[in-house]
């Protein structure tokens, strides 16, 4: 007896955000313009499929700049941002660098610097050891930032006397962060915050889409990497809505026993997961069952970030003049 049809609800928005798309384009265009190898400090984005694809085209990933043997080659800084010491080191070593930091992460960096210049100690809401957190803390002198990871941390921290400000990692859970901010404002009523939340539009939109899909399905797949903060938050959001959720990198990772008896399945993807991996998931289920796909749209995204000047296409007029 054939299994019943499987209804797949696709969350939208999902997958690549403007910051990730820009970062990947920077590496691709650097390879096209300068040839291989192009060095990349840290994973350009947290997705093995993307990283391996760029590696096959000539990108070489390193953790530190002193690992680069040929200093005539370009080096790209990842989308997560880097401490100030990294571009300073690149300049000292004579490296030509391209900064793929997401502009929304750069905005957090500038806000932290502004608070510091105004004499405020900065409380950074984020996850210990995440590259974005390391990069943001590295914008200011040591000791100028205190990391806050949870509501419980708010009661434990002992910031220096004087004015305070907070900022946040861009890929956090919207709900968790709101709780931490509320706790900070309760303990430190005069704390300064951002004019608008630092959690990026794409993180917020993807979490809202999951909230719309999760109550309608029996299980949800989040396509993404285990070291991707925004992907892990999507899984947590689905679970908070009462839905069983798993984080998978590829269709080959599917444990089919987990989906026995599931007739309504949700699928989303973290901001660093390309759409081809979502299609791969759907095809894997379609090979076993009749699938009916519905897209649940909760927001339209039109944000596009400019590439660095050295990598942009020439303007049409300039092209004609040539």
């Amino acid at each position: 007896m054939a299994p019943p049809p499987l209804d797949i609800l696709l969350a939208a928005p999902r997958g690549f955000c403007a910051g990730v798309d820009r970062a990947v384009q920077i590496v691709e265009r650097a390879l096209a313009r300068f040839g291989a190898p192009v060095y990349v400090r840290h994973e350009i984005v947290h997705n093995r499929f993307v990283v391996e694809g760029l590696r096959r085209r000539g990108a070489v990933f390193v953790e530190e700049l002193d690992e680069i043997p040929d200093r005539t080659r370009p080096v790209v800084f990842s989308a997560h941002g880097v401490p100030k010491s990294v571009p300073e080191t690149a300049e000292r070593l004579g490296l030509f660098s391209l900064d793929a930091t997401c502009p929304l992460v750069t905005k957090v960096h500038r806000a932290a610097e502004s608070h510091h210049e105004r004499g405020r100690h900065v409380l950074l809401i984020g996850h210990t050891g995440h590259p974005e957190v390391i990069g943001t803390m590295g914008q200011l002198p040591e000791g100028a930032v205190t990391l806050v990871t949870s509501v419980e941390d708010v009661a434990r921290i002992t910031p220096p006397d004087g004015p305070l400000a907070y900022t946040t990692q861009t890929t956090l859970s919207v709900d968790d962060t709101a709780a931490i901010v509320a706790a900070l404002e309760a303990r430190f009523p005069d704390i300064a915050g951002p004019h608008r939340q630092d959690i990026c539009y794409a993180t917020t939109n993807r979490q809202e889409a999951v909230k719309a899909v999760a109550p309608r399905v029996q299980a949800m797949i989040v396509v993404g990497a285990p070291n991707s903060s925004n992907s892990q938050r999507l899984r947590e959001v689905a679970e908070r809505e009462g839905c069983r959720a798993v984080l998978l990198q590829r269709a080959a990772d599917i444990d089919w026993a987990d989906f026995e008896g599931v007739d309504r399945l949700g699928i989303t993807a973290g901001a660093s997961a390309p759409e081809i991996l979502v299609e791969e998931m759907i095809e894997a289920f379609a090979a076993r069952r009749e699938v009916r796909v519905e897209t649940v749209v909760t927001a339209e995204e039109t944000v596009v970030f400019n590439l660095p000047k050295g990598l942009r296409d020439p303007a049409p007029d300039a092209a004609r003049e040539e």
Side-chain angles (χ1 to χ4, degrees):
M1 181 177 174
L6 173 66
D7 289 315
I8 295 178
L9 274 62
L10 289 179
R14 64 180 177 277
F16 269 17
C17 62
V20 166
D21 188 53
R22 174 180 181 271
V24 172
Q25 279 195 62
I26 287 173
V27 179
E28 291 174 339
R29 292 201 178 202
L31 285 164
R33 182 155 299 186
F34 305 111
V38 167
Y39 291 89
V40 183
R41 184 188 179 275
H42 191 67
E43 291 185 341
I44 186 68
V45 296
H46 283 157
N47 186 275
R48 186 192 305 162
F49 179 86
V50 173
V51 168
E52 290 302 323
L54 293 172
R55 183 176 279 127
R56 285 192 296 273
R57 296 170 65 175
V60 177
F61 294 86
V62 298
E63 287 303 309
E64 299 300 340
L65 298 181
D66 58 12
E67 298 173 39
I68 298 173
D70 183 354
R71 292 177 181 169
T72 67
R73 305 303 304 163
V75 59
V76 180
F77 303 147
S78 82
H80 310 98
V82 295
K84 276 189 172 178
S85 59
V86 173
E88 290 169 359
T89 299
E91 186 172 356
R92 177 172 55 79
L93 294 175
L95 291 165
F96 168 54
S97 60
L98 294 162
D99 189 359
T101 301
C102 173
L104 298 180
V105 174
T106 300
K107 173 175 163 282
V108 173
H109 290 180
R110 300 292 83 82
E113 287 181 313
S114 177
H115 288 310
H116 181 66
E117 289 166 1
R118 287 169 168 76
R120 298 168 181 151
H121 183 79
V122 176
L123 304 180
L124 172 62
I125 303 171
H127 294 295
T128 305
H130 190 277
E132 184 184 329
V133 166
I134 293 169
T136 300
M137 294 184 76
Q139 302 305 303
L140 302 184
E142 189 170 350
V145 182
T146 297
L147 182 62
V148 179
T149 63
S150 65
V151 169
E152 291 73 25
D153 259 6
V154 175
R156 288 192 291 256
I157 59 173
T158 54
D161 292 336
L164 299 174
Y166 75 86
T167 188
T168 82
Q169 184 179 333
T170 63
T171 55
L172 300 176
S173 158
V174 173
D175 296 334
D176 288 348
T177 304
I180 296 172
V181 169
L184 284 173
E185 291 176 339
R187 183 177 172 194
F188 308 109
D190 295 327
I191 193 168
H195 297 299
R196 297 178 60 187
Q197 69 168 20
D198 290 328
I199 296 174
C200 83
Y201 77 95
T203 297
T204 302
N205 287 349
R206 280 149 189 73
Q207 290 179 21
E208 290 301 314
V210 166
K211 289 179 183 179
V213 169
R216 298 177 55 188
V217 297
Q218 297 157 287
M220 177 166 284
I221 292 173
V222 178
V223 182
N227 61 338
S228 165
S229 175
N230 74 85
S231 298
Q232 290 285 10
R233 303 296 79 76
L234 293 176
R235 178 186 56 78
E236 293 170 359
V237 168
E239 290 174 343
R240 192 168 292 160
E241 295 293 320
C243 179
R244 180 163 55 88
V246 292
L247 179 64
L248 301 175
Q249 298 195 75
R250 302 292 302 270
D253 301 326
I254 297 171
D255 183 344
W256 294 105
D258 286 345
F259 300 96
E260 289 181 7
V262 172
D263 298 324
R264 294 182 67 78
L265 173 69
I267 299 180
T268 188
S272 50
E275 184 66 12
I276 190 172
L277 299 185
V278 174
E279 294 168 359
E280 180 185 272
M281 290 286 177
I282 296 171
E283 289 169 3
F285 280 95
R288 291 170 170 255
R289 298 173 64 175
E290 177 191 348
V291 300
R292 301 180 297 209
V293 180
E294 174 190 348
T295 300
V296 179
V297 181
T298 55
E300 299 286 349
E301 292 182 349
T302 57
V303 177
V304 177
F305 294 133
N306 287 331
L307 296 172
K309 285 184 179 178
L311 295 179
R312 294 178 199 169
D313 291 328
D317 289 346
R320 280 197 296 269
E321 288 173 7
E322 291 176 357

